[in-house]
Amino acid sequence: MKNLASIKVIKEILSDSGFKFSKSLGQNFLIDENALEKIVSATELTPECGALEIGPGFGTLTQRLCMAAGKVVCIEIDSGAIPILQNNLSDFENFTIINDDVLKCDLAAIIKEHFDGMSVKLAANLPYYITTPIIMHVLEARLPIDSLTVMIQKEVAMRIAAPEGTKDYGALSVAVNFYAIPQVVVHVPPSSFIPQPKVSSTVIKLTMRDKPPVEVASEKGFFSVVKASFAQRRKTLLNALSNSPQIPLGKAEVSRVLSKCGIDEKRRGETLTMQEFADVANMIFK
Ligand code: SAM
């Protein structure tokens, strides 16, 4: 089996195949054994599990997933990487490659077709240009998966894991925490990739919740309140909510709602707990 975490091996593949890294597809391939180990061990795979990988590239992580899981399905958009990937995985039989854009895939149907009845875990070194859309695509679809263990830009990981009241806490923190419990696994420097990205990275594990931590009458309404509260961070809650086109209430009505919820209207969105967002949303969107 080729050691794909070796920069020498990657350079040989590039020279033999003529493959060129695509910046626009976020192709920063991992060459750090320790980071790979951390992703695989945090994913907690057994031979009874299925692993879903997004963006396998040359298959560096895929090889390890094939060793630890019963079955692996990987989705790669770049058709130029597919023959290389097939070649690099030739020691394994428990994988399926899907050449497609993950954002256009029916992930629920893929899981049903390939992993029916298995416990499924998602693992990936995600392309940074669409990290948040991919994570939200997976979370909002409420897929039957246990967890997502993903390498993402450090700054995005910090926003996801930020507690309320901190400067990193925002709509993304609330949205991800609504569906999953985040846990930072390890920080990874640019030198762990080829080519090196301009930013630092972090592996984060998102363990899916059985149900959201708060009860909301309308999920759409809840997320409208969250987005409106963070849209203009420096505004008071009263102004942010009453100026938002997503909130169908005027200033006086917003003031009444906040007062009924026991929330000072001068507070800013970043100080609200998930429960307080839910209280406000449940009063506006019944
Ligand atoms: N897993 C490999 C590794 O760790 O070395 C490559 C990771 S690289 C950061 C991201 C991978 O995602 C690339 O192979 C890229 O072609 C692929 N990719 C980018 N956009 C994608 C999309 N919309 N759907 C599926 N794969 C995508």
Side-chain angles (χ1 to χ4, degrees), residues 13 27 54 64 103 106 112 114-115 135 148 152 157 168 179 186 214-215 241 278:
I13 295 174
Q27 291 180 340
I54 296 166
R64 286 159 172 84
L103 293 179
D106 181 346
K112 184 150 186 31
H114 296 276
F115 299 124
I135 291 178
L148 299 80
I152 59 178
D168 284 337
Y179 298 107
V186 67
V214 292
E215 277 190 31
L241 292 176

Side-chain angles (χ1 to χ4, degrees), residues 25-30 53-57 60 75-78 100-102 125-127 129-130:
L25 289 179
Q27 291 180 340
N28 303 100
F29 288 8
L30 198 48
E53 186 189 5
I54 296 166
T60 317
I75 304 169
E76 171 59 58
I77 197 170
D78 188 349
D100 206 346
D101 178 345
V102 67
N125 170 18
L126 287 178
Y129 76 108
I130 44 166

Side-chain angles (χ1 to χ4, degrees), residues 40-62:
V40 177
S41 70
T43 304
E44 295 185 285
L45 293 164
T46 66
E48 287 71 46
C49 292
L52 178 64
E53 186 189 5
I54 296 166
F58 286 174
T60 317
L61 175 61
T62 328

